[in-house]
Amino acid sequence: MFSSLLIANRGEIACRVIRTARRMGIRTIAVYSDADRDAVHVKLADEAVHIGGSPARDSYLSIEKIVAACKQTGAEAVHPGYGFLSENPAFAAAIEAENIIFVGPPVKAIEAMGDKITSKKIAAAAGVSTVPGHMGLIADAEAAVTISRQIGYPVMIKASAGGGGKGMRIAHSDAEAREGFERSKSEAASSFGDDRIFIEKFITEPRHIEIQLIGDAHSNVLYLNERECSVQRRNQKVIEEAPSPFLDAATRKAMGEQAVALAKAVGYTSAGTVEFIVDKHRNFYFLEMNTRLQVEHPVTELITGLDLVELMFLAAAGEKLPLTQEEVQLNGWAIESRIYAEDPFRNFLPSTGRLTRYHPPAENLVQPPFIRNDTGVAEGSEITTYYDPMIAKLCTWAPTRIEAIEAMEDALDEFELEGVGNNIPFLAAVMGQQRFREGRLTTGYIAEEFPNGFSGVELDADSLTHLAAIACTSAFALDHRLYPTTPEPRAVIIGDQRWDFSVRADGIEYWLTAPDGKKLLVETGWKPGNTICIARVDGHLHHVRIQRLTSGFRLRHRGADLIAKVLLPRVADLMPLMPVKLPPDLSKFLLCPMPGQIVRIDVAEGDIVEDGQTLAIVEAMKMENVLKAEKRAKISKIRVQPGSVLAVDEVILEFEAV
Ligand code: ADP
Ligand code: ADP
Ligand code: MG
């Protein structure tokens, strides 16, 4: 085994790799950019090298700088993590040229699998089932239309060099094929510097199920079961689980064996993932192979009891895998929620800023349900626009799927994160949905379940009453500190609902009595200053994030975000008389929906536009977003030009009714 390792990555995955290396007694070397000077991975490593400016191309994507850091520190091996240079064959070759061990597959395997068109051809030759489609390049938009018609709509237009859900469009018609081709090509050119496009059949009601592989240099390749990653938005995974609620043992075995056949065909070693798209009849088709450690590998570790990074180290050091296919376990159920700095209330637009509070639930791998949280940030860390907006990967494991989901609900309720918009309320909402709990997933899940976007969660009547009771006991605890006398009855107002309670407290037991004599028992040890209230109300345990406001609390629970006012009844009586503040009318403006740059403006002042007509294109996070008119209107003024860099909500143009 090598004795020192440089991690050519940042964030949670750098921390994850360091953790296993440390356990195995390997000296760890981090690299960092300007923006990451104070990052967690830098502090965690035994040694750290500054490699350049904040933009990834000046640091984490610079082969030259990383090779120089290896030489400077005498690193014997390099782990590339995921993203950045992990699937770049030139990087692996440059590392090996210096006689340093690349912790990953052979250069030839990365090359063969890195390109979607090439890998699809190799897969087909190895007897792997592939998505029907055109295996060649597409010259122009007209050729795209011809080929799409031959395949039959709907089709998926893809960048051969694509990754991370970028450079990909669905088309249902000639017009969409034309537009999709142009957008994919342009996105592929700007994201991957390679604008080759191909087209395949779009599999309807698809599920994304992938097989984890591990191989060594002695021709052993094992499949470590599957992960289901169907809950996606914009073709990016959000929630993953292992095993898949959809697979039976026969399909699992067939997929596993085909994945192994493909790996053997390219002389694969190390960890890798073969992604499949599965239709509702359990027909499965090869999508692509990721020649690296996958973001969602923790769920596989939780059901197999293996450490994938350790197995990668063993394989890289030329050792034999310590287990056989028969010894691979599939035990219980694991779920991962990707916690992103993105605002679910604003169409999941990326959000940046400082984590003014970061307090994840405590990890526990001793007593089921297990909680694991892979992260690369700490309180005070800054989330910038330079890198991926993922903050943490929260995983739970339990003997059954439903127990793992329930553990996730509690863990999300306990996750304290302030300072940047984040998707925790959204994740909590999904965990609570009946369709998710029944495992009826497709990659269209989010689009189908949230057709008008996410606007928060409506709690059921009992849960609302429980939150009102918690607000009441918390107010009691606050008041009692100041005036330890028998308090007056209180009214709790949430939205337009009102509850009246009188309170009698005895240690951690609070008896709440409503005017009709109905009693409610709240048991809680909450004290003023605690940011989480753990309370049993009427026998039901709740974890509620609680924040004090003037005359009440902000309560966050299961994706709901509420203000509970706690007032004296006579004050509450006057509340309906307060004037209501109306939000300003913004319907006359086209606002920039995200921080980004205007690529194109398709209209001129004075134009009459129709519903659905393209107005402008904004590029943000390397995605081109088409902004369309929502109704017939006249363009009265254009406020920006192509190239303008806009903040969120800046006005792009003004409409006039016609
Ligand atoms: P996984 O398939 O492991 O879940 P994702 O597809 O979500 O991974 O991508 C993992 C990370 O790598 C993301 O940060 C993504 O933006 C990045 N990524 C994936 N492919 C590429 C690529 N070809 N170029 C640059 N970044 C990529
Ligand atoms: P990336 O390299 O960006 O991860 P993939 O080829 O793995 O690209 O596709 C990403 C996602 O897009 C898949 O998980 C799936 O949801 C969807 N997808 C890709 N190809 C198809 C297809 N032919 N039919 C249906 N969905 C597809
Ligand atoms: Mg993929």
Side-chain angles (χ1 to χ4, degrees), residues 562-573:
L562 309 167
I563 293 185
K565 291 194 176 296
V566 187
L567 306 165
L568 293 173
R570 60 177 184 280
V571 178
D573 292 344

Side-chain angles (χ1 to χ4, degrees), residues 7 9-18 31 36 39-42 44 60 82 84 374-377 387-388 390-391:
I7 301 98
N9 213 301
R10 63 178 301 281
E12 67 86 14
I13 196 62
C15 297
R16 158 74 191 89
V17 172
I18 290 172
V31 292
D36 278 339
V40 177
H41 75 281
V42 174
L44 219 55
Y60 301 108
Y82 56 72
F84 297 125
D374 286 36
T375 191
V377 298
Y387 315 112
D388 195 277
M390 194 170 74
I391 298 173

Side-chain angles (χ1 to χ4, degrees), residues 504-635:
R504 191 168 55 75
D506 181 3
I508 64 159
E509 290 187 1
Y510 297 80
W511 285 99
L512 273 49
T513 312
D516 62 6
K518 249 186 143 160
K519 284 198 188 324
L520 201 55
L521 172 63
V522 181
E523 296 157 272
T524 180
W526 185 82
K527 288 194 180 56
N530 292 163
T531 47
I532 296 203
C533 175
I534 301 174
R536 197 176 288 283
V537 185
D538 202 14
H540 298 272
L541 187 64
H542 300 282
H543 294 74
V544 180
R545 297 182 49 205
I546 182 163
Q547 196 182 333
R548 203 174 153 191
L549 307 171
T550 349
S551 61
F553 302 93
R554 176 182 183 190
L555 302 177
R556 281 177 280 182
H557 179 63
R558 299 283 142 115
D561 190 344
L562 309 167
I563 293 185
K565 291 194 176 296
V566 187
L567 306 165
L568 293 173
R570 60 177 184 280
V571 178
D573 292 344
L574 298 173
M575 282 296 284
L577 304 175
M578 295 290 282
V580 180
K581 198 171 152 195
L582 291 173
D585 178 16
L586 293 171
S587 64
K588 289 193 172 57
F589 301 99
L590 174 69
L591 302 182
C592 190
M594 65 209 87
Q597 186 171 29
I598 300 287
V599 177
R600 227 170 69 193
I601 295 186
D602 283 20
V603 292
E605 287 179 6
D607 284 4
I608 305 281
V609 295
E610 303 295 335
D611 180 8
Q613 187 174 334
T614 298
L615 301 172
I617 295 179
V618 181
E619 189 195 295
M621 307 295 276
K622 299 223 158 72
M623 279 278 283
E624 291 195 356
N625 302 276
V626 181
L627 308 181
K628 295 187 169 163
E630 282 173 8
K631 57 175 187 239
R632 187 178 152 85
K634 183 173 166 188
I635 308 294

